[in-house]
Amino acid sequence: MPSALVTGGSSGIGLAIAHMLRDEGYDLTLASRTAEKVEAAAQELGAQAVTANMASEEDCVRVVAEHRDRFGGLDVLVNSAGIGIAGDAESLSARHVDLQLGVNLRGLLLVTREALPLLRASRGWIVNLASIAGTGPSPGLLVYGATKAAVIGATRTLNAELDATGVRAIAICPGFVDTPMAEWSGLQPDEKIGR
């Protein structure tokens, strides 16, 4: 049976993708930093839950190792873990910059690094969650937009590097989704992408 690892799999887009993969017959590992949320989502889907902070290299390594130990291989890696903190250039805090870079970009790169041997063996897929904020100017989302632009660039480079191995990477760039992370936007639920 094919298997997938979904970071940020306890809510939002990651959880929606996990539902789709489960319905298509994938064994799943869901990773998220909040134990209660990831355990509840995993129980609902019959998945393995891993509590992990994607800003931690140790946790990035452990997530892939736990998936491999349980399922033996990996067919799809979904890098959905992400954090967005609104703010303009003058209000930047180093802590918020580091947090967004750590989860949105560094964690994605480290989990991907760890997963590549398994994905080469299966000729699998890497699905990176970017954002419309990474495709053009997004006032109020300076750091978040920069991390998502980097995710798009990293995805293009992964495709170029991995072309001969059969591993493919794609970046999904949604607009505002009706999740708690987008509440700052002031948009009404019917103006956002539904869950």
Side-chain angles (χ1 to χ4, degrees), residues 6-93:
V6 183
T7 71
S10 67
S11 63
I13 296 172
L15 181 57
I17 291 172
H19 274 278
M20 181 203 68
L21 289 166
R22 190 258 340 249
D23 292 347
E24 292 186 8
Y26 283 78
D27 284 329
L28 294 170
T29 296
L30 306 181
S32 182
R33 65 186 167 193
T34 306
E36 300 80 29
K37 285 177 68 176
V38 74
E39 288 165 8
Q43 183 174 6
E44 174 186 343
L45 293 172
Q48 171 175 238
V50 180
T51 303
N53 174 0
M54 293 298 100
S56 160
E57 181 175 15
E58 180 180 318
D59 281 5
C60 291
V61 171
R62 181 174 52 82
V63 162
V64 176
E66 289 192 24
H67 179 89
R68 181 198 61 231
D69 292 349
R70 178 157 180 187
F71 299 115
L74 178 64
D75 298 279
V76 177
L77 169 63
V78 180
N79 286 305
S80 183
I83 185 166
I85 302 169
D88 61 22
E90 290 181 296
S91 66
L92 287 179
S93 89

Side-chain angles (χ1 to χ4, degrees), residues 106-141:
R106 183 175 182 267
L108 177 147
L109 295 172
L110 295 176
V111 169
T112 299
R113 176 194 72 193
E114 293 301 306
L116 279 175
L118 300 172
L119 292 167
R120 275 197 294 272
S122 67
R123 298 175 66 86
W125 277 91
I126 301 165
V127 180
N128 292 327
L129 267 293
S131 169
I132 195 170
T135 66
S138 296
L141 290 175

